[in-house]
Amino acid sequence: MSIQSTGLRDSSHVTRVRESLGHRVVGRERELDLVLAAVAAGRDILLEGPPGTSKSTILRAIAEEWGIAFVLVEGNADLTPSKLLGGHDPARVLREGYRDENFVDGPLVRAMREGGFLYIEEFNRAPDDTLNTLLTAMAERQVTIPRIGTITAQPTFRIIGSMNPYDNVGTTRLSTSVHDRFNRLVLGYQDAAAEHQIVALRTGLGPDGGQDVPARLASALVTDAVALTRATREHEDTRQGSSVRGAIDLALVAAQLLNLHGLDTPGEGRVGAENTLRRRYADVILDAAMVSLSGRIHVDEAAGTTPERVLREIWEDHFILRPAAAEPG
């Protein structure tokens, strides 16, 4: 399949799209290249990675730059073939009978008609008969619906699925026929520098301050939020740690708490038991972490602990046992 037949005008157009997207997707240059190359080649793709690894961000950015629809569907046991395809409006059928204009497009048909991306999150939670419907659309680029006829997809139509490899509750093992029709890309978490940049960008807590927070305090908030969040992925008692979304929320919640407590500095020196500015700042970070991260980490059941205990251990390690790593500024 040529680039022309997939809806992209030529290879120079793909290059221009890539250059335009470079500043919008932080720390994902390689993955962006691979996804863009796959969809430009007319391929469907399956993205595997934990939450918060920029899967939907990459796809939304490509779809927006390409100027096509982005149709999001949540994969679950209720996603039946009829919900995916659509159906006739019952009230209008009673009045007017089965007519083409009574048919309400489901997400698959909408994406096919508009030549958009059908993005199915939690792809491996969808029932087998639903996946079989998708296989037909993938193999033939068309589907046949009773009383409607055959719908042929526009050239830019793609099916893109995502899966969380750490979550096996309510999921099913994908068949060989499904895997055989998809390209596959595994995404891990970004490195610390990229996550720092993402948190600063999404929170507005940049190098010059923001959110009514002085620059030095903003820098400390972002640094500590990223460090604590990344530590949840490495703790021996966690099965799955928090995504960068947790760091974003931690920084934002902490900024509000600091304002409520009248603190505009991360303090100086070690975090001790005494009621210093440094201790008050660290305590705020702990409170914000409990709110922002405790629901996002999954503790190993065999460990006999809780998310709150894990977070306190991480906090103590960061601020007390390794104080150099938590130096403000």
Side-chain angles (χ1 to χ4, degrees):
M1 185 177 289
S2 67
I3 289 178
Q4 179 67 31
S5 66
T6 65
L8 288 172
R9 291 189 292 275
D10 51 39
S11 58
S12 63
H13 178 62
V14 178
T15 302
R16 289 195 298 273
V17 170
R18 172 62 180 84
E19 291 173 350
S20 179
L21 292 176
H23 70 284
R24 298 174 56 182
V25 182
V26 178
R28 286 297 186 204
E29 291 77 11
R30 173 180 172 272
E31 291 85 353
L32 176 58
D33 286 349
L34 292 171
V35 174
L36 182 58
V39 297
R43 303 299 93 188
D44 302 304
I45 188 167
L46 185 63
L47 305 178
E48 289 190 28
T53 47
S54 302
K55 296 185 291 295
S56 61
T57 300
I58 291 173
L59 296 171
R60 287 182 186 276
I62 293 174
E64 183 177 333
E65 192 67 28
W66 205 348
I68 61 175
F70 182 84
V71 184
L72 174 64
V73 177
E74 184 70 30
N76 54 53
D78 296 327
L79 185 62
T80 60
S82 60
K83 288 184 178 179
L84 200 60
L85 293 168
H88 288 87
D89 184 323
R92 294 190 63 182
V93 168
L94 289 174
R95 295 194 309 267
E96 307 166 6
Y98 288 98
R99 303 169 61 179
D100 288 356
E101 54 267 32
N102 293 343
F103 187 83
V104 180
D105 290 349
L108 173 59
V109 172
R110 179 192 162 197
M112 294 179 74
R113 290 190 198 272
E114 298 182 14
F117 289 170
L118 175 65
Y119 178 51
I120 305 177
E121 288 190 317
E122 306 293 348
F123 187 84
N124 54 338
R125 293 180 183 272
D128 288 339
D129 54 349
T130 303
L131 296 181
N132 290 336
T133 302
L134 291 170
L135 291 182
T136 301
M138 293 170 68
E140 303 175 10
R141 260 27 199 183
Q142 61 182 26
V143 293
T144 300
I145 301 174
R147 298 188 177 92
I148 292 296
T150 298
I151 297 172
T152 301
Q154 294 295 317
T156 52
F157 167 70
R158 305 286 183 272
I159 293 177
I160 302 168
S162 71
M163 293 169 30
N164 176 5
Y166 298 104
D167 192 356
N168 56 13
V169 178
T171 61
T172 58
R173 183 175 179 272
L174 298 182
S175 67
T176 301
S177 59
V178 172
H179 278 294
D180 190 56
R181 285 174 170 81
F182 275 104
N183 284 257
R184 174 176 172 266
L185 176 62
V186 176
L187 293 88
Y189 290 109
Q190 291 99 324
D191 61 25
E195 290 199 352
H196 191 284
Q197 187 178 351
I198 291 169
V199 174
L201 180 66
R202 299 289 172 81
T203 61
L205 296 168
D208 297 325
Q211 302 285 343
D212 296 324
V213 173
R216 183 167 175 268
L217 180 58
S219 175
L221 280 174
V222 173
T223 298
D224 291 330
V226 169
L228 294 182
T229 300
R230 290 180 64 85
T232 66
R233 305 170 200 158
E234 302 166 359
H235 194 280
E236 61 182 2
D237 292 334
T238 58
R239 179 168 51 86
Q240 180 181 341
S242 172
S243 73
V244 71
R245 296 188 187 109
I248 292 169
D249 285 1
L250 197 166
L252 289 172
V253 171
Q256 294 299 319
L257 285 174
L258 290 168
N259 183 56
L260 287 173
H261 288 277
L263 291 172
D264 59 2
T265 174
E268 300 282 354
R270 296 177 61 88
V271 175
E274 65 276 10
N275 186 29
T276 62
L277 287 175
R278 184 68 177 146
R279 177 71 194 212
R280 290 172 64 194
Y281 166 81
D283 286 344
V284 165
I285 297 297
L286 177 60
D287 286 341
M290 292 295 183
V291 172
S292 304
L293 301 181
S294 62
R296 286 184 162 106
I297 64 176
H298 302 278
V299 175
D300 188 338
E301 294 179 0
T305 188
T306 65
E308 289 76 14
R309 288 177 183 170
V310 168
L311 289 173
R312 179 169 285 278
E313 289 177 12
I314 290 172
W315 176 85
E316 289 175 348
D317 184 55
H318 180 69
F319 281 103
I320 299 175
L321 300 181
R322 294 188 301 110
E327 283 298 315

